[in-house]
Amino acid sequence: MCGIVGAIAQRNVAKILLEGLSRLEYRGYDSSGVAINNETGVRAHRAVGKVQALKDKFEAEPLDGKIGIAHTRWATHGKPTEANAHPHFSGPDLALVHNGIIENHDVLRRELKAKGYEFKSETDTEVIVHLVHEALKSEPNFVQAVKNALESLHGAFAIAVTLNDENERLVVARQGSPLVVGVGIEENFVASDQLALLHVTDQFIFLEEGDVAELTRDGVTVWDKDDIIQERPISVFNHNVDATDKGEFRHYMLKEIYEQPTVVAACLEGRLSHERVLTSCFGANSEFLKQVENVHIVACGTSYHAGMVAKYWIEDMANIPCTVEVASEYRYRKVAVPKNTLFLTLSQSGETADTLAALRMAKELNYLTTLAICNVPSSTLVRESGLTLLTKAGAEIGVASTKAFTTQLTALLITSIAIAAEKGELSDAKQAELVQALRSLPAYLDAAIKQDSTIQVVAEQFANKHHALFLGRGPMFPIALEGALKLKEISYIHAEAYPAGELKHGPLALVDEDMPIITMVPHNVMLDKLKSNLQEVAARGGELFVFADKDTDLHSEEGVTFTEVPKVDAILEPIVHTIPLQLLSYHVAVVKGTDVDQPRNLAKSVTVE
Ligand code: AGP
């Protein structure tokens, strides 16, 4: 989604802003722009496509100045053109960048046009800058004028505004879209996320909903939603700064796939004793584990798939009902909440607009408590949830989620075991066995990754495919959904996933020699049933790609490509079987030459509805 960077310093900020934009590229965007404020006025460059195109413009015609704002735009209102790229101007001295959506922009545009404002873009953003301009006519104080203008807006936004006057400052505001202030020495910054500013500071102030802030070189003043000045705490960033470095890897996605044994170990660290899950990992208030009688899981995309796996674990181990729903559906319906229901959200970013809206709605309902399983400790989701279990995957840059998913599954398995044990549904011996299995997970993930070069060869067979079908049974069905999502996200191959038992009820009609079928075969009671499903495919000339352990007795033959996955405890199968599917999608995308880390049309953090 759109990204914002802003800076006010004693030095030229152009390089800082351009580097910040490069660091935001992972979020997904289609155009970019920078406005620099100096004694000659506010001047801008904008470009369609990669940030490099903007850098080329700076190379050809440098803009220097000590105050500036910058933006990567992910088109919502109006195509990705230079005219629609931010910053937008009202007059020569006032420029603004915006992340989010202004829902009443049509009405505001009509009103502003009636007042004589001319619009140069199709964006909803342009109404904001004209509103600030209009407000400045009756309110000379820049901060107050911005506050007055914001009162007319409906929707979600984060903005940064610069005005060329004698009071050098940036004004920023947040309502519904994340914004973080970076604190420096005689310089201050703002951005949509911390990663954009790690080259200039590691000290951050997280703005809260409704905050407006004024940034000068000497300080930051924050007003809350009730217009009261607040001292927001400064946090020090403690992720590994090298997260933004690809190291020896060709793509962030591959690096993140390879990091999984390490980050899953980090996710387990301090959460297991020799034979138990330590309930203290949920914080001081872990009483809910005993009380919970129902679980509602709400999430989007890959995080939703992790939730679907957890349903199998929770119902099986804790013997309580669990529902899983996509946040964009949950937030718009009337939900029945049985007594003692846990509301559980899953999110890598903790900034997904639909998941946040679902959490806010749930907080008005009669839930036992809200628990967020999330990767970003400073995120809105973490700050607004009752309880948190961090996944500790480290910064994930590739748009296609990989290590965030396997760490979510690990955290969900910890949670499922804890609920089951606290409710007396799990014997001590069984819990010890599960904990033992969890401890061995990083080593199994490592073994699964060792199949990389074999999977790279398999991927070549997908180079000319346009469709693919993923099959799974039980908890492998959500893994099939996740495999299909990965393949379509980065290789643009149309992929569907079905529970294998549904094959005969429709999808079998699609099966022919052009339709590869990918299936993960668990070594459990469903093995024989799944083998029959595979026979049905083979009999129709379908090309099978089977991922299974040696003991399944499956092997490569005419029309069947067998890839070995390490044999693991049944409870770990969904996590370990995810690895070959991630690697398959990755290598197919590389063979097809797509933009693996920033696939077209997608954003890393979906901060608008
Ligand atoms: C995964 O590969 C996706 N890019 C996407 O589905 C993602 O999982 C979804 O947008 C939810 O994001 P979150 O986990 O940050 O809330």
Side-chain angles (χ1 to χ4, degrees):
M1 295 267 125
C2 303
I4 288 175
V5 193
I8 175 160
Q10 301 283 11
R11 48 181 166 154
N12 179 17
V13 294
K15 269 203 176 128
I16 297 173
L17 297 175
L18 288 169
E19 171 62 18
L21 291 185
S22 294
R23 287 165 171 263
L24 287 179
E25 284 191 288
Y26 81 97
R27 291 167 67 98
Y29 70 104
D30 35 51
S31 57
S32 61
V34 170
I36 303 270
N37 193 345
N38 64 25
E39 49 292 340
T40 63
V42 186
R43 293 171 60 214
H45 281 319
R46 297 187 198 84
V48 175
K50 294 286 178 193
V51 169
Q52 188 53 49
L54 188 68
K55 289 182 177 169
D56 293 344
K57 287 198 168 180
F58 269 81
E59 194 69 27
E61 190 194 339
L63 299 179
D64 289 349
K66 296 173 180 170
I67 309 176
I69 53 176
H71 192 261
T72 46
R73 174 173 186 256
W74 188 80
T76 56
H77 298 70
K79 292 202 169 118
T81 60
E82 223 170 283
N84 287 333
H86 302 208
H88 290 289
F89 280 72
S90 191
D93 295 325
L94 181 69
L96 174 145
V97 290
H98 161 230
N99 178 9
I101 288 179
I102 304 303
E103 286 164 6
N104 58 336
H105 71 99
D106 267 344
V107 177
L108 295 171
R109 185 179 272 255
R110 275 198 298 277
E111 287 170 8
L112 287 159
K113 275 188 176 169
K115 287 178 180 159
Y117 284 96
E118 266 180 40
F119 281 78
K120 297 196 169 78
S121 77
E122 303 155 274
T123 64
D124 53 339
T125 303
E126 204 180 344
V127 301
I128 318 176
V129 72
H130 291 318
L131 279 174
V132 176
H133 188 274
E134 180 68 10
L136 279 165
K137 290 179 184 165
S138 53
E139 172 52 72
N141 180 312
F142 182 32
V143 181
Q144 191 55 48
V146 172
K147 289 181 189 170
N148 294 350
L150 297 186
E151 278 176 17
S152 311
L153 304 179
H154 299 165
F157 54 81
I159 58 162
V161 205
T162 182
L163 173 68
N164 187 41
D165 67 358
E166 66 288 357
N167 302 312
E168 297 186 322
R169 57 194 163 175
L170 283 178
V171 179
V172 305
R174 167 201 170 138
Q175 188 162 304
S177 298
L179 206 55
V180 60
V181 171
V183 181
I185 299 166
E186 293 186 14
E187 54 186 15
N188 286 303
F189 312 92
V190 69
S192 308
D193 77 48
Q194 295 165 296
L195 292 182
L197 299 177
L198 287 180
H199 56 306
V200 281
T201 186
D202 63 355
Q203 315 240 342
F204 295 96
I205 297 172
F206 293 95
L207 296 183
E208 297 196 0
E209 285 301 285
D211 279 356
V212 174
E214 177 190 52
L215 277 61
T216 62
R217 292 185 182 87
D218 305 325
V220 178
T221 312
V222 180
W223 290 264
D224 71 8
K225 60 178 182 339
D226 299 318
D227 207 17
I228 296 168
I229 291 188
Q230 295 289 349
E231 278 290 316
R232 299 270 182 240
I234 295 182
S235 333
V236 179
F237 184 83
N238 60 10
H239 269 178
N240 180 357
V241 178
D242 286 346
T244 54
D245 178 5
K246 281 201 277 273
E248 72 200 73
F249 294 94
R250 183 166 164 199
H251 295 100
Y252 283 113
M253 182 180 176
L254 189 62
K255 172 179 177 247
E256 288 159 5
I257 291 173
Y258 271 73
E259 279 173 354
Q260 289 176 107
T262 311
V263 294
V264 164
C267 181
L268 293 170
E269 173 90 38
R271 286 157 176 182
L272 307 176
S273 74
H274 192 57
E275 44 204 18
R276 303 180 42 240
V277 164
L278 298 171
T279 55
S280 54
C281 66
F282 298 96
N285 186 10
S286 61
E287 269 308 288
F288 78 96
L289 294 166
K290 278 196 178 64
Q291 296 162 0
V292 57
E293 290 169 27
N294 279 281
V295 183
H296 286 179
I297 300 180
V298 174
C300 301
T302 287
S303 298
Y304 167 69
H305 296 154
M308 287 178 75
V309 177
K311 177 182 166 71
Y312 290 89
W313 290 336
I314 291 171
E315 299 208 346
D316 180 38
M317 286 193 268
N319 196 23
I320 56 173
C322 173
T323 65
V324 191
E325 191 167 354
V326 286
S328 54
E329 288 298 316
Y330 174 93
R331 64 179 289 193
Y332 287 115
R333 71 181 185 89
K334 188 160 175 250
V335 183
V337 184
K339 192 163 159 262
N340 286 333
T341 301
L342 169 68
F343 182 79
L344 199 168
T345 53
L346 294 161
S347 176
Q348 188 287 126
S349 62
E351 301 294 349
T352 301
D354 285 320
T355 309
L356 284 172
L359 170 67
R360 288 171 189 150
M361 176 174 131
K363 283 167 83 176
E364 301 298 315
L365 301 174
N366 196 24
Y367 280 101
L368 176 63
T369 188
T370 58
L371 169 65
I373 292 185
C374 185
N375 191 35
V376 181
S378 54
S379 64
T380 312
L381 192 76
V382 167
R383 281 181 284 131
E384 295 190 10
S385 296
L387 301 161
T388 304
L389 188 61
L390 293 174
T391 48
K392 302 190 185 172
E396 189 180 66
I397 306 285
V399 163
S401 198
T402 51
K403 61 177 180 168
F405 180 66
T406 43
T407 51
Q408 281 173 344
L409 289 175
T410 307
L412 283 164
L413 190 46
I414 289 172
T415 308
S416 310
I417 295 171
I419 295 175
E422 290 299 298
K423 294 191 70 66
E425 294 284 338
L426 211 57
S427 69
D428 288 351
K430 183 66 192 167
Q431 184 172 189
E433 197 185 295
L434 290 167
V435 164
Q436 237 9 72
L438 266 173
R439 286 193 183 284
S440 59
L441 181 55
Y444 285 128
L445 293 173
D446 202 37
I449 290 171
K450 293 223 158 65
Q451 289 290 60
D452 189 8
S453 48
T454 309
I455 295 169
Q456 186 171 0
V457 175
V458 174
E460 279 160 23
Q461 299 184 56
F462 285 75
N464 301 317
K465 300 292 182 208
H466 299 290
H467 307 276
L469 204 56
F470 286 72
L471 300 178
R473 273 190 174 266
M476 289 301 194
F477 167 52
I479 301 305
L481 283 168
E482 175 59 10
L485 178 65
K486 285 289 90 86
L487 191 68
K488 56 188 145 193
E489 272 187 299
I490 58 169
S491 72
Y492 315 146
I493 291 177
H494 167 231
E496 302 267 356
Y498 281 93
E502 277 291 289
L503 199 60
K504 289 199 262 311
H505 300 285
L508 200 54
L510 295 171
V511 173
D512 62 15
E513 56 286 357
D514 293 326
M515 173 68 86
I517 317 281
I518 300 111
T519 184
M520 291 71 54
V521 184
H523 196 192
N524 64 22
V525 283
M526 305 302 272
L527 178 59
D528 288 339
K529 291 191 190 302
L530 198 90
K531 280 183 172 170
S532 323
N533 298 140
L534 299 186
Q535 290 300 329
E536 290 159 11
V537 171
R540 277 140 192 105
E543 212 179 331
L544 278 165
F545 294 85
V546 177
F547 294 87
D549 69 59
K550 272 203 290 216
D551 295 1
T552 54
D553 231 17
L554 291 157
H555 48 268
S556 290
E557 54 186 279
E558 179 69 29
V560 181
T561 303
F562 172 80
T563 307
E564 190 183 331
V565 182
K567 167 126 186 65
V568 295
D569 192 293
I571 198 82
L572 301 183
E573 278 178 335
I575 313 181
V576 175
H577 277 246
T578 298
I579 304 286
L581 297 188
Q582 294 172 343
L583 286 167
L584 180 69
S585 302
Y586 171 76
H587 288 299
V588 174
V590 171
V591 170
K592 296 198 75 161
T594 60
D595 190 346
V596 173
D597 287 328
Q598 292 160 35
R600 68 185 182 201
N601 306 338
L602 297 182
K604 179 66 184 162
S605 179
V606 184
T607 52
V608 296
E609 227 187 302

